[in-house]
């Protein structure tokens, strides 16, 4: 009886490990927005050293944003699904749905977000002094600038999210002054942030 039960459990676990994995759902431009048109999907598999690697091939969604395909899973877990759509929409890693290997994955909603940008206008106002500047609040780890001059930096962001651009000025005496500006860039838009120092 015990052998029969163990054999039955092993047979149940096998579909999770490998085999055809069905993926069906809808790509949306936001959690409740319209479907994305011209979208493609990519399955990513967790790599042994960390991060994710894309699996070939990519899959095209229908014009209404619906998709249905299957791929051969070779591992038990570690699969996520991301989408892209013109003119630059993409799925954030944190919102990419996980896929169950060897099982149907139906009713998925894959969100894609529009890119946006932040235009950082640095203005060195008189009296000119040597400062360092750290700016953050957009995609990436931020920027540290030593003795900055008048310049413009363009940095990527995500559309539709209310956020803050924060900058910290460190003067010659080592004293920090923090400033911030709320931003909410629209889809494919650029928000200007003027940073005077």
């Amino acid at each position: 009886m015990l052998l029969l039960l163990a054999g039955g459990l092993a047979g149940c676990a096998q579909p999770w490990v490998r085999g055809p994995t069905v993926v069906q759902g809808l790509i949306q431009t936001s959690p409740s927005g319209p479907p994305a048109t011209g979208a493609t999907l990519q399955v990513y598999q967790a790599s042994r050293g960390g991060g994710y690697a894309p699996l070939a091939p990519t899959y095209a969604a229908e014009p209404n944003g619906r998709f249905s395909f299957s791929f051969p899973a070779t591992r038990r877990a570690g699969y996520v699904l991301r989408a892209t759509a013109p003119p630059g929409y993409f799925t954030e890693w944190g919102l990419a749905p996980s896929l169950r290997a060897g099982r149907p994955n139906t009713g998925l909603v894959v969100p894609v977000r529009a890119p946006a940008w932040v235009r950082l206008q640095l203005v060195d106002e008189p009296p000119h002094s040597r400062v360092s500047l750290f700016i953050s609040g957009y995609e990436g780890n931020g920027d540290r600038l030593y003795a900055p001059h008048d310049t413009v930096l363009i940095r990527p962001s995500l559309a539709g999210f209310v956020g803050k651009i924060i900058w910290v000025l460190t003067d010659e005496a080592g004293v920090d002054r923090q400033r911030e500006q709320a931003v909410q860039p629209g889809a494919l838009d650029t928000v200007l942030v003027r940073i005077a120092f």
Side-chain angles (χ1 to χ4, degrees), residues 13-157:
Q14 186 63 26
W16 285 85
V17 177
R18 59 176 51 121
T21 301
V22 174
V23 183
Q24 295 176 340
L26 175 68
I27 302 171
Q28 288 186 311
T29 56
S30 66
S32 60
T37 58
T40 58
L41 297 117
Q42 178 76 63
V43 175
Y44 289 81
Q45 181 176 358
S47 62
R48 297 188 197 285
Y52 284 89
L55 298 179
T58 58
Y59 303 93
E62 297 173 14
N64 63 3
R66 298 220 169 265
F67 59 87
S68 180
F69 64 89
S70 92
F71 72 96
T74 58
R75 291 188 190 169
R76 178 182 178 111
Y79 295 97
V80 296
L81 182 63
R82 296 181 74 208
T84 58
Y89 289 79
F90 64 97
T91 303
E92 292 180 81
W93 285 104
L95 298 177
S98 297
L99 302 176
R100 298 178 303 160
R103 295 287 178 103
N105 296 267
T106 59
L108 297 175
V109 174
V110 181
V112 289
R113 302 281 189 249
W117 297 269
V118 177
R119 179 184 173 107
L120 305 169
Q121 181 180 13
L122 306 183
V123 181
D124 188 1
E125 295 181 332
H128 302 292
S129 60
R130 294 180 55 82
V131 298
S132 71
L133 180 62
F134 180 72
I135 312 166
S136 63
Y138 41 84
E139 295 294 305
N141 295 325
D143 290 291
R144 172 148 323 264
L145 305 165
Y146 296 96
H149 299 285
D150 292 347
T151 191
V152 173
L153 305 173
I154 307 292
R155 296 296 182 253
S157 185

